[in-house]
Amino acid sequence: GFLVSRAMDPEDVYEMTTVLQDEAQVPLFFAADYDRGVGRFSNNLTEWPSNMGLGATRDPLYAAAAGRLTAIEGRAVGVNMVLAPVVDVNNNPENPIINIRSYGEDPRLVGVMAKRFVSEAQRLGLLTTLKHFPGHGNSEVDSHSRMGMIYGDRTSLNEIELYPYRVVLNEPVQPTAVMSAHLWTPTFDAEPLPATFSRNVLNDLLRDTLQFNGLIVTDDVKMGALQNDYSLEERIINPLLAGADIVLTPRDLNRSIRAVREAVEEGTVSMEALDRSVYRILITKATFGLHNRRNVDESVLQFLLEEPRGE
């Protein structure tokens, strides 16, 4: 699959996704960071307030509307997966990266807002991704620059960081994916290790304890939290060993593929584990009918772009 830049013009996104879907033997994921919808100042689609703004209403209806409209407009441009919603709890005022991206400081509010976004988006065919597991709110570091730490013991993590995940994952409509954080959680790993590389976090906690059976996707492996200390090969192989299904945006794709093949040949990564990940990916694509309806009708996008909103 491909990651679509939020800054791209909607018509360019539509053209690109259409061409690539037609060329691909297997339907592709097109994922985007549409945390605030598909719209921007330069187009006629909808840009939502930040999650903090939606959370300030204390009304889940707004999160549901955001999920619904993001799905309608996202699918119209050819995007079929959104790397949202953010379910981090805004419990550290020194956090430099989550802050307004969070629905708020109350885990219960975050959970109910997120479940409504997920329910509406998934129902309309947009695959959703909870992020950043196991939580990025209580950190004083931006993982785009370096690896930080998530504070708290298991009790506090269960009551705060993990609470929204349990709320959403217990709903009938499940998110498609969960994204890992490039943060160290000492309560799960004694030695400094990003959650993206932690089998204790991705397999034991997310898979076994929280019973999540969907896709586990890493955050961008080019981010400073990983790139500062790990080689490209380590940033590709370590998430697979921890239980991730999808490694997000490696800089050198050919070198990354070679790394996986060599790891399999050396016995570091098992074919069984890769087969399980491939199976999850294919089942997800089939379940949402991507093999039957890869592309969307351009007239829908033209209608959304031409008709004025809110008048």
Side-chain angles (χ1 to χ4, degrees), residues 154-293:
R154 287 179 182 261
T155 298
S156 66
L157 287 171
N158 277 325
E159 292 176 349
I160 300 174
E161 278 79 8
L162 298 178
Y163 185 90
Y165 287 94
R166 291 201 302 273
V167 169
V168 180
L169 296 180
N170 284 331
E171 288 295 304
V173 178
Q174 293 276 300
T176 295
V178 170
M179 176 183 286
S180 65
H182 301 330
L183 294 167
W184 173 37
T185 312
T187 193
F188 295 115
D189 293 286
E191 298 298 322
L193 188 70
T196 298
F197 293 177
S198 172
R199 193 161 183 83
N200 292 333
V201 172
L202 299 191
N203 187 76
D204 299 354
L205 177 60
L206 183 55
R207 286 278 187 229
D208 294 344
T209 302
L210 296 181
Q211 296 290 295
F212 178 66
N213 295 316
L215 300 174
I216 298 178
V217 57
T218 73
D219 207 341
D220 183 352
V221 295
K222 298 192 301 294
M223 289 163 59
L226 299 188
Q227 189 165 257
N228 293 345
D229 299 308
Y230 300 96
S231 68
L232 173 64
E233 287 74 14
E234 290 172 316
R235 286 180 276 134
I236 299 300
I237 300 305
N238 289 351
L240 300 179
L241 295 175
D245 301 300
I246 297 175
V247 178
L248 189 65
T249 55
R251 188 179 297 278
D252 187 328
L253 185 58
N254 289 330
R255 184 175 158 194
S256 301
I257 292 171
R258 285 198 303 271
V260 175
R261 286 177 171 167
E262 289 172 3
V264 171
E265 291 170 359
E266 295 167 359
T268 305
V269 173
S270 73
M271 278 301 301
E272 290 77 13
L274 288 182
D275 284 344
R276 284 194 295 271
S277 291
V278 171
Y279 179 80
R280 288 191 190 101
I281 291 167
L282 294 177
I283 285 294
T284 299
K285 292 178 176 182
T287 300
F288 282 85
L290 297 187
H291 57 303
N292 291 325
R293 188 168 176 262

Side-chain angles (χ1 to χ4, degrees), residues 101-115:
R101 300 171 69 195
S102 168
Y103 288 113
E105 73 284 356
D106 181 355
R108 291 161 183 79
L109 174 68
V110 174
V112 72
M113 298 293 276
K115 78 176 182 181

